[in-house]
Amino acid sequence: MRFAIVGGGATGILAAAHLARRLDPANDEVAVIEPGETLGRGLAYATDDPRHLLNVRVANMSAFADEPDHLYAWLRARCGADATSPFSFISRGLYGDYVADLAEHTLSNRLVRRERARCLDIEERADDVRLALSTGESLAAGVAILATGHDAKPTLGDLPAEQPWSAGALEGVSPDAPILILGSGLTMVDMALSLERRGQRGPIVVLSRRGLLSAAHRPAPPRSLSASEIPFGAELSQLLAWLRRLAARFTAEGADWRSAVDALRPHTQRLWGAMSLEQRRRFLRHARVYWDVHRHRMAPQIEAALRALVDSGQLTFVAGRVVVARRNGEDVEVEILRRGAGAAEARRFARIIDCTGLCEQPLKSANPLLRALLKRGAARPDALGIGFDVAPDLGLVGADGIVSRRIKAIGPLARAAFWECIAIPDIRLQCAALADALTKARAPSAAARRLEASAGS
Ligand SMILES: Cc1cc2nc3c(=O)[nH]c(=O)nc-3n(C[C@H](O)[C@H](O)[C@H](O)COP(=O)(O)OP(=O)(O)OC[C@H]3O[C@@H](n4cnc5c(N)ncnc54)[C@H](O)[C@@H]3O)c2cc1C
């Protein structure tokens, strides 16, 4: 069977690598469709700023969960004695090199090839799918795997704000000019450190609704939880109370709240699955920001660098919101309403940078393929509008509620169904499970293993 993977970011490459290990050389092949020049980096790992670090330790970022040393072995081969420990946080650019090398290795398998193109539409037919490519060609496949990742469309499209990933976001800005960053998550942290690296001396104001900052990693003793200890299906308030008790217990035992959050991680997809629609809605409205700042933690050295900016007085946090923002010549005039304040205050900035996150709503997607699938009813948004409706077997659910057998969605695209499937530790499991399911009933043949071995490892 031919598998067409749409998207050659980290998810697409992990999917290709997992499939490549299971292919039947007599019958299978994989095509990875990606318009960009490079493979494996996508949005997260394309940065060349050495201060943009992974927020997950090396030990948990291997492409293969069953080979936890795969990344560390690569690092040792690449950096020799300078390779950091499996418990360190390497730069995202270096991790991008690792996935790019994995892509090269995977493509050295003659059953895997690359199409430099954008996929514009996929039509599902009785016996196959037809992918329309930007080159004007079409590609037939037995299964299409959508790994189109993040939609970098502005979330605050109505504000005169720059996107953190746009190359010209800071063009022409004087180093002494004041900058306003909207959002206080890890993208803000990236941006603040990049501003410092650029030599920015002017004030940096970080504005977010609650003024919360992501916690930092600490060496926390690992703890595990069995499924029987977890109150699946409980009301959100009960769940949070249970989690607080668990954190207090672990802390009393000499661990830390981080051990509680980490112990819950292998169960979060099941927890999400056990929630009713209303419970999920309440989680998103009331608990998500608190979960995110505890779950998505920054590396300790990043925390120290950010702390230095705060201590110097250059970076300040404000809890509140923008009431109105308008351009005035080169600057932007902003009215900010602080949390709990009665009246807005007027401020002037050289730039506003929108670090409030990526576009999650399918109906606002700028991706022509996703728009085409939605338009034809081959896909539909999930009931909360935070992603695509995807079945437990990763099949895309159409407007008629029918689950596609031939179009699968993985990684960030499937977040509405699984919630925690946007980071590598989860994505690699999803890729392995999908590759197993697609090639099931067929143990990898001896020939496949020989081919894999001959491509090196
Ligand atoms: C800034 C940032 C930092 C992160 N840091 C970490 C971290 O430290 N650890 C961690 O585990 N996770 C991290 N993540 C989470 C991240 O989601 C995953 O690790 C992973 O990068 C997701 O990759 P992806 O390939 O699904 O998406 P993307 O990186 O968005 O890549 C999608 C790819 O699909 C291609 N594509 C899109 N549409 C089409 C189309 N129609 N046809 C063909 N190709 C198409 C794009 O060109 C792109 O190359 C981070 C995310 C971000 C945004």
Side-chain angles (χ1 to χ4, degrees):
M1 182 186 298
R2 179 187 284 159
F3 304 101
I5 299 175
V6 182
T11 302
I13 294 308
L14 261 61
H18 281 270
L19 265 174
R21 293 182 160 201
R22 295 160 173 83
L23 294 179
D24 174 352
N27 296 303
D28 294 338
E29 58 177 6
V30 176
V32 179
I33 301 154
E34 164 63 50
E37 193 182 333
T38 55
L39 289 174
R41 297 182 188 277
L43 195 55
Y45 311 117
T47 171
D48 60 2
D49 189 331
R51 292 177 72 182
H52 290 171
L53 300 188
L54 293 180
N55 51 38
V56 180
R57 289 184 170 84
V58 164
N60 294 328
M61 288 291 285
S62 162
F64 307 99
D66 55 358
E67 276 181 58
D69 285 342
H70 192 266
L71 168 59
Y72 188 55
W74 179 89
L75 277 173
R76 294 235 311 262
R78 165 81 174 252
C79 311
D82 292 336
T84 47
S85 90
F87 304 104
S88 60
F89 300 87
I90 57 169
S91 75
R92 296 211 303 271
L94 184 56
Y95 187 75
D97 291 349
Y98 164 67
V99 190
D101 269 9
L102 181 67
E104 202 180 312
H105 166 66
T106 305
L107 286 164
S108 71
N109 181 330
R110 66 172 176 79
L111 302 175
V112 185
R113 66 187 169 90
R114 187 229 166 132
E115 288 282 341
R116 178 108 189 247
R118 183 172 293 283
C119 178
L120 301 176
D121 200 358
I122 303 177
E123 189 195 345
E124 184 167 357
R125 309 186 307 182
D127 299 323
D128 64 4
V129 282
R130 284 263 156 185
L131 290 84
L133 305 184
S134 53
T135 52
E137 283 161 23
S138 86
L139 184 93
V143 170
I145 300 170
L146 305 188
T148 56
H150 298 287
D151 213 312
K153 189 176 189 294
T155 37
L156 301 176
D158 49 340
L159 285 182
E162 308 294 329
Q163 287 297 289
W165 294 283
S166 78
L170 296 169
E171 217 166 85
V173 173
S174 142
D176 295 307
I179 307 278
L180 176 64
I181 299 183
L182 302 178
S184 60
L186 293 178
T187 306
M188 174 282 290
V189 178
D190 270 8
M191 197 65 219
L193 297 183
S194 289
L195 282 168
E196 193 204 18
R197 184 171 181 238
R198 175 185 190 264
Q200 201 70 26
R201 297 180 296 261
I204 303 169
V205 176
V206 174
L207 179 69
S208 68
R209 295 257 168 176
R210 294 180 178 82
L212 293 174
L213 180 63
S214 284
H217 284 282
R218 296 275 180 273
R223 293 286 148 102
S224 62
L225 285 172
S226 69
S228 61
E229 293 175 85
I230 300 169
F232 293 106
E235 278 307 317
L236 187 62
S237 55
Q238 292 166 346
L239 202 56
L240 292 177
W242 169 83
L243 189 55
R244 276 196 208 98
R245 282 197 303 277
L246 186 74
R249 195 184 95 206
F250 284 174
T251 306
E253 290 167 6
D256 183 291
W257 60 261
R258 293 168 183 81
S259 311
V261 171
D262 295 350
L264 196 57
R265 276 210 59 190
H267 306 280
T268 45
Q269 289 193 3
R270 192 172 151 197
L271 262 174
W272 181 253
M275 283 184 190
S276 67
L277 197 60
E278 193 42 42
Q279 285 171 326
R280 288 181 186 183
R281 202 189 306 276
R282 277 205 295 279
F283 169 82
L284 294 173
R285 195 177 306 141
H286 303 296
R288 176 185 184 169
V289 293
Y290 297 102
W291 174 253
D292 281 352
V293 296
H294 291 93
R295 149 81 180 81
H296 300 283
R297 303 194 288 269
M298 60 181 119
Q301 54 272 55
I302 296 295
E303 182 196 32
L306 197 73
R307 179 68 41 215
L309 282 177
V310 173
D311 291 347
S312 71
Q314 187 183 4
L315 189 141
T316 49
F317 289 93
V318 174
R321 65 184 174 87
V322 170
V323 181
V324 64
R326 60 184 91 77
R327 284 195 198 285
N328 186 342
E330 293 292 294
D331 292 344
V332 193
E333 286 175 351
V334 187
E335 283 181 31
I336 294 175
L337 184 65
R338 287 179 186 256
R339 203 173 161 87
E345 59 192 78
R347 302 278 299 259
R348 213 179 166 99
F349 296 95
R351 285 286 189 284
I352 305 181
I353 320 267
D354 175 6
C355 294
T356 55
L358 295 149
C359 177
E360 291 183 340
Q361 299 165 32
L363 293 177
K364 290 191 176 169
S365 173
N367 194 318
L369 167 62
L370 303 180
R371 292 176 78 88
L373 291 173
L374 285 165
K375 192 167 170 204
R376 260 189 314 102
R380 68 180 183 188
D382 84 298
L384 294 173
I386 57 163
F388 283 86
D389 196 354
V390 173
D393 73 349
L394 300 167
L396 204 58
V397 182
D400 51 8
I402 293 176
V403 179
S404 170
R405 281 194 310 117
R406 296 188 181 278
I407 307 180
K408 309 282 182 180
I410 52 172
L413 268 192
R415 72 185 150 251
F418 303 99
W419 188 246
E420 295 272 328
C421 64
I422 60 164
I424 298 296
D426 306 301
I427 290 172
R428 63 188 184 179
L429 292 176
Q430 210 174 47
C431 289
L434 181 63
D436 272 345
L438 293 177
T439 56
K440 74 171 181 271
R442 247 188 16 212
S445 65
R449 268 184 258 118
R450 267 200 305 281
L451 202 68
E452 165 70 15
S454 71
S457 66

